[in-house]
Amino acid sequence: MLPRHRRTPIRDIVRILKRYRRAHGRYPSLFRPQRFSEKIQWRKLFDPSPLYSVFCDKLACRDFIEARLGPGHLPPLLWSGDDPAALPLERLPVPFVVKCAHGSGMNVFVDDPTRADFVGIRARLAAWQAQNFGRALQEPGYVPVPPRLLVEAMLTEDDGALPAEYKLFLFDGRVELIMVRINDGPDSHRNLFLRPDGSRADVRFDAPLHGGALPEADLAAMFAMAERLGVGLDHVRVDFLVSRGRILVGELTVYSFSGLTPCEPASFDLELGRAWTIQAPLRRALAAMLGLARPDEDGHSSRDGQQRADLAAQAGE
């Protein structure tokens, strides 16, 4: 029998309500969510799938992706470990990016070792390791992830620019939205949104819109890989890096924007929410609040719930 999960505390629900209201100017409908942003809050509070902790762990997620797609679909891994002091920054081939496995946005890009402050980088990594990213944003998939470190080769174009990213929003295995991120630098980017047929979607989230041409990319190949990675999930976002003609998987995301970034127009939040079917949201929310939820109580069959728990265990959960 699959174990039950801990009860969802009322204080967590209150925090989510307040945080959502500050971001969106209204309270979310948590028990019968309609908007995409509301469904992200529902997932945070009431969907305890152990697989989410695999996706939130950047090292375990690499194992999951390779198990689903086979080798050759990930950025090269140069090093992994626990101790910033053991990180051989001075000897790694440049350019590279150092990441904390247990959070989002905890990255350091190094393209010129003569200008890098390696002492400062190690101190920053240690400070990040002391944080529990999941508790800070109430994204429970991150909470149990160990604060490990990894270094990946930093992908660039021929002119040294960072590659474009294609972020595919999947619902029950179907791609419903594509976010194209044009990186102007490590801390600056523009976005463009596409529908599955390649037409542009008139929506803006967290960055200025990109009005220019798009880099060449094989959307059909990305769709095929994303659909294999999204089997058995009611929603996941699959992020790709397109570099020098190669398509590599960057990560899998289950809490896009933490559901706290308003979109323009606001009506698109409801449109995207319609693509996401959550089975029995009220019953499952009540089960979570009472501590009765199990991994198979997620809108899937008990057999599929066990398979997801097994996948989580195999990938390092």
Side-chain angles (χ1 to χ4, degrees), residues 4-312:
R4 292 178 178 176
H5 287 267
R6 74 178 186 94
R7 178 177 57 84
T8 299
I10 296 298
R11 66 177 178 274
D12 286 0
I13 297 174
V14 172
R15 285 196 201 106
I16 288 284
L17 288 169
K18 290 181 177 179
R19 183 170 283 170
Y20 186 94
R21 187 176 186 274
R22 285 196 299 269
H24 292 277
R26 62 176 183 274
Y27 287 112
S29 173
L30 290 178
F31 299 110
R32 291 187 173 87
Q34 301 296 318
R35 296 176 174 88
F36 177 77
S37 60
E38 292 173 335
K39 292 181 178 182
I40 291 290
Q41 310 315 309
W42 184 95
R43 171 175 277 184
K44 292 180 191 176
L45 289 167
F46 306 128
D47 187 356
S49 170
L51 197 52
Y52 299 158
S53 292
V54 175
F55 297 160
C56 291
D57 183 333
K58 287 180 169 55
L59 281 166
C61 190
R62 288 178 60 96
D63 295 337
F64 177 89
I65 292 166
E66 187 164 336
R68 285 276 174 105
L69 299 181
H73 297 285
L74 291 159
L77 181 66
L78 304 180
W79 183 89
S80 64
D82 303 310
D83 185 2
L87 182 54
L89 293 170
E90 296 83 356
R91 301 191 303 275
L92 290 169
V94 291
F96 60 83
V97 55
V98 189
K99 302 180 179 181
C100 286
H102 70 300
S104 178
M106 298 176 174
N107 308 318
V108 179
F109 295 83
V110 177
D111 57 4
D112 183 353
T114 65
R115 298 172 56 191
D117 177 7
F118 292 136
V119 173
I121 289 173
R122 290 188 174 95
R124 194 187 323 173
L125 294 170
W128 283 339
Q129 285 183 297
Q131 301 175 20
N132 190 302
F133 183 87
R135 290 197 176 95
L137 281 179
Q138 289 181 264
E139 297 182 358
Y142 285 101
V143 170
V145 177
R148 297 180 293 175
L149 304 170
L150 66 153
V151 181
E152 293 178 341
M154 185 169 71
L155 306 178
T156 61
E157 301 298 355
D158 291 334
D159 61 359
L162 294 175
E165 300 176 45
Y166 284 72
K167 303 173 183 285
L168 276 57
F169 291 69
L170 277 81
F171 301 93
D172 291 313
R174 303 182 316 274
V175 177
E176 296 288 350
L177 182 69
I178 306 157
M179 182 172 85
V180 185
R181 173 169 165 156
I182 306 298
N183 291 301
D184 301 313
D187 302 311
S188 176
H189 66 276
R190 292 161 286 135
N191 291 336
L192 175 68
F193 291 85
L194 303 175
R195 300 190 184 278
D197 62 3
S199 62
R200 299 200 177 195
D202 184 18
V203 62
R204 178 181 179 274
F205 272 89
D206 67 331
L209 288 177
H210 172 69
L214 289 177
E216 291 187 13
D218 188 344
L219 283 179
M222 281 188 259
F223 276 36
M225 285 190 278
E227 288 165 1
R228 289 170 65 185
L229 292 168
V231 169
L233 296 165
D234 56 15
H235 167 58
V236 68
R237 197 186 81 205
V238 181
D239 295 357
F240 293 97
L241 300 161
V242 180
S243 175
R244 305 188 191 194
R246 294 190 65 199
I247 299 172
L248 300 174
V249 183
E251 62 182 358
L252 306 183
T253 300
V254 293
Y255 307 113
S256 290
F257 305 116
S258 203
L260 298 175
T261 300
C263 63
E264 300 173 8
S267 59
F268 189 82
D269 195 4
L270 187 59
E271 178 184 338
L272 191 59
R274 292 193 191 103
W276 184 354
T277 300
I278 297 177
Q279 300 293 335
L282 176 58
R283 175 181 64 78
R284 291 166 58 197
L286 293 174
M289 293 171 68
L290 294 171
L292 302 175
R294 293 189 175 94
D296 59 328
E297 296 198 30
D298 59 358
H300 301 265
S301 68
S302 296
R303 178 174 176 272
D304 187 52
Q306 182 64 65
Q307 288 175 337
R308 292 172 72 191
D310 291 344
L311 276 171

